[in-house]
Amino acid sequence: MQSSYILSGGLVIDPANGVETQRDVAIHAGTIVPADSVAGADVIDVNGLAITPGLIDLHVHLRDPGQTHKEDLVTGTRAAAAGGFTCVVAMPNTSPPVDCPAVLEDILSRAGTGGVVRVLQTATLSVGRAGAQLTDAGGLKAAGAIALTDDGSCLQSAGLMLSALEAARDAGLPVIEHCEDESVSRRGVMNAGATAASLGVAGQPHISEDLIVARDIVLAQATGWGVHMQHISTAGAVDLVRWAQSCGIPVTAEAAPHHLCLTELACADFGADAKMNPPLRRAADRDAVVRGLQDGTICALATDHAPHSADEKAGGLRGGPFGIIGLEAALPICLTELHHSGVLGLSDFIAKFTVGPRAVLKLPYGTLSPGCPADVTILDLDREHVLDVSSFHSRSRNCPYDGRRCRGKVVGTIVEGKPVFSELPQLVSEGIA
Ligand SMILES: [Zn+2]
């Protein structure tokens, strides 16, 4: 692959610039450049395909270090590339957790050499994710942390969260939050209600999420420091975030594809492969999350890619761990269920994976503006196919979408001008095919 080339004839969707039209995209030395500035460059015909900024996933678990039997930096970033993601934000609940510069620097260094997409690493709010003592926000920022979170759980003490937000503000680090009051959720294995009762398992009430969203809105207002609410899943959480935004309180929110495309009823069909935290909710919650996505209350879609081994998931709905893999299913599932179904127009849909995440963490990615890094995703919007989880690049298989018929497919992923995934004969991948 030459250092200069032109993706020619595709439908370019670049929400940051209000672009949704057929035009050429030119790349030179890893950067987007004006199409008329690279005379003589290779021309790659992408007629009939959609060209978008490289997709950003604000929420993945790469399990490295410590749980590399589930995923590691190589397999996780390959799964990301195959899923169209050029940048992933990795959660810090590894083993050991990312609570000090040494662990953080080790991950970033290995991701830089072995990863095929950009890995932005978060660090924990509390030492050991134990919820008792705060980490050194300034030291973690200096070591390269992109944000702070105890994801998997959250600080249960409002007083400690207040101190955490003040420290994050002073260090200039975003705070992202898994919203769950454990004194209410009691780590129930699915959403509380009639379905949990009929399956004979302990449920967690939706208010465990609503309570922390409400608390953090109050704390964001008090400190003037933003909180990004991760994977919101309840009607109450959407209403609270919408209200806070209308008051000018600096909160943002993401939603995960499974909370938009499945309900708690899936727990009966898929058992442990429908077990995640927050859990799948009622249809009324799903509909509220869809409305939040449509009206902009929720600015980002994030997979919460959470790999687990088959042995662990064999514990079933009761005993298996929380989480499903999402990187390679997200685009086909969401294009089918959220775009082709009419929930979101094309630019709005792509914005949830590009300008939305870009705004939350103030990233330089997520647009095709000249001068920006040449991170690009190529989609065949109308390709019909059946999801085959056995073909995924992820090391894990915990996914309820196997065999789902989808419309829309990722066919190419380019990071800083370098193709890292391609199904197109005209675009030779130096990463995976
Ligand atoms: Zn979480």
Side-chain angles (χ1 to χ4, degrees):
M1 179 67 67
Q2 301 241 324
S3 75
S4 297
Y5 59 100
I6 297 170
L7 300 169
S8 180
L11 172 66
V12 175
I13 305 146
D14 183 12
N17 292 307
V19 171
E20 185 178 335
T21 188
Q22 196 173 28
R23 64 165 61 167
D24 291 350
V25 172
I27 293 169
H28 173 69
T31 303
I32 303 287
V33 295
D36 56 8
S37 70
V38 283
D42 285 353
V43 174
I44 296 168
D45 180 7
V46 288
N47 214 298
L49 301 172
I51 305 297
T52 75
L55 308 180
I56 302 165
D57 189 344
L58 282 178
H59 196 141
V60 305
H61 297 271
L62 298 180
R63 307 297 192 208
D64 188 350
Q67 295 185 304
T68 51
H69 63 288
K70 303 177 195 240
E71 197 78 285
D72 63 30
L73 289 163
V74 174
T75 58
T77 58
R78 284 173 169 239
F85 295 98
T86 56
C87 177
V88 295
V89 177
M91 295 300 114
N93 59 339
T94 49
S95 181
V98 187
D99 63 358
C100 64
V103 178
L104 180 65
E105 286 163 355
D106 166 61
I107 294 170
L108 291 177
S109 150
R110 289 187 296 113
T113 51
V116 297
V117 307
R118 300 178 195 278
V119 175
L120 306 178
Q121 182 62 54
T122 57
T124 63
L125 283 161
S126 70
V127 175
R129 276 184 69 248
Q133 181 192 344
L134 296 183
T135 52
D136 170 17
L140 289 164
K141 163 117 178 172
I146 192 75
L148 296 174
T149 177
D150 269 4
D151 182 48
S153 55
C154 65
L155 297 177
Q156 298 297 296
S157 157
L160 196 61
M161 188 60 180
L162 174 61
S163 301
L165 283 174
E166 290 168 345
R169 180 190 63 201
D170 295 347
L173 259 184
V175 172
I176 61 182
E177 182 82 309
H178 168 115
C179 301
E180 178 186 358
D181 185 320
E182 291 171 24
S183 70
V184 175
S185 74
R186 298 170 186 268
R187 304 302 261 185
V189 302
M190 63 175 287
N191 189 49
T195 308
S198 74
L199 293 172
V201 297
Q204 50 172 287
H206 64 88
I207 60 167
S208 68
E209 180 171 332
D210 305 349
L211 283 163
I212 297 295
V213 171
R215 180 197 78 175
D216 284 0
I217 287 168
V218 171
L219 294 174
Q221 183 174 39
T223 58
W225 194 242
V227 178
H228 173 70
M229 313 293 180
Q230 300 179 277
H231 43 48
I232 65 170
S233 67
T234 68
V238 176
D239 284 345
L240 286 160
V241 169
R242 183 183 289 116
W243 171 81
Q245 291 173 345
S246 77
C247 300
I249 300 169
V251 296
T252 53
E254 72 191 28
H258 43 263
H259 290 127
L260 291 148
C261 304
L262 297 170
T263 69
E264 60 184 4
L265 298 176
C267 294
D269 296 332
F270 300 107
D273 280 346
K275 178 179 180 180
M276 62 284 286
N277 194 16
L280 298 172
R281 305 286 190 184
R282 301 166 306 162
D285 293 299
R286 179 202 55 200
D287 294 347
V289 177
V290 166
R291 282 194 300 278
L293 206 60
Q294 287 176 312
D295 72 13
T297 303
I298 298 166
C299 68
L301 282 163
T303 65
D304 194 6
H305 177 78
H308 292 293
S309 70
D311 281 356
E312 293 159 317
K313 279 292 193 182
L317 194 55
R318 276 192 188 77
F322 291 110
I324 62 169
I325 55 171
L327 283 167
E328 291 164 269
L331 258 288
I333 291 285
C334 290
L335 274 169
T336 305
E337 302 284 338
L338 300 176
H339 170 59
H340 290 305
S341 67
V343 168
L344 291 172
L346 200 47
S347 284
D348 285 347
F349 176 83
I350 296 299
K352 305 296 182 188
F353 290 105
T354 56
V355 285
R358 169 186 165 88
V360 169
L361 295 181
K362 304 193 169 39
L363 302 175
Y365 318 119
T367 128
L368 296 174
S369 300
C372 286
D375 293 4
V376 179
T377 300
I378 307 173
L379 304 170
D380 184 336
L381 294 172
D382 291 308
R383 172 107 61 98
E384 308 253 2
H385 62 112
V386 173
L387 275 186
D388 174 9
V389 174
S390 71
S391 71
F392 283 3
H393 294 79
S394 171
R395 184 161 287 150
S396 292
R397 294 287 176 264
N398 50 310
C399 177
Y401 305 125
D402 194 38
R404 281 265 281 245
R405 182 163 290 282
C406 295
R407 180 176 167 202
K409 197 170 195 314
V410 175
V411 294
T413 308
I414 296 168
V415 177
E416 211 164 321
K418 181 181 157 194
V420 294
F421 169 73
S422 176
E423 291 188 350
L424 304 172
Q426 67 270 37
L427 184 75
V428 177
S429 166
E430 298 167 31
I432 55 169

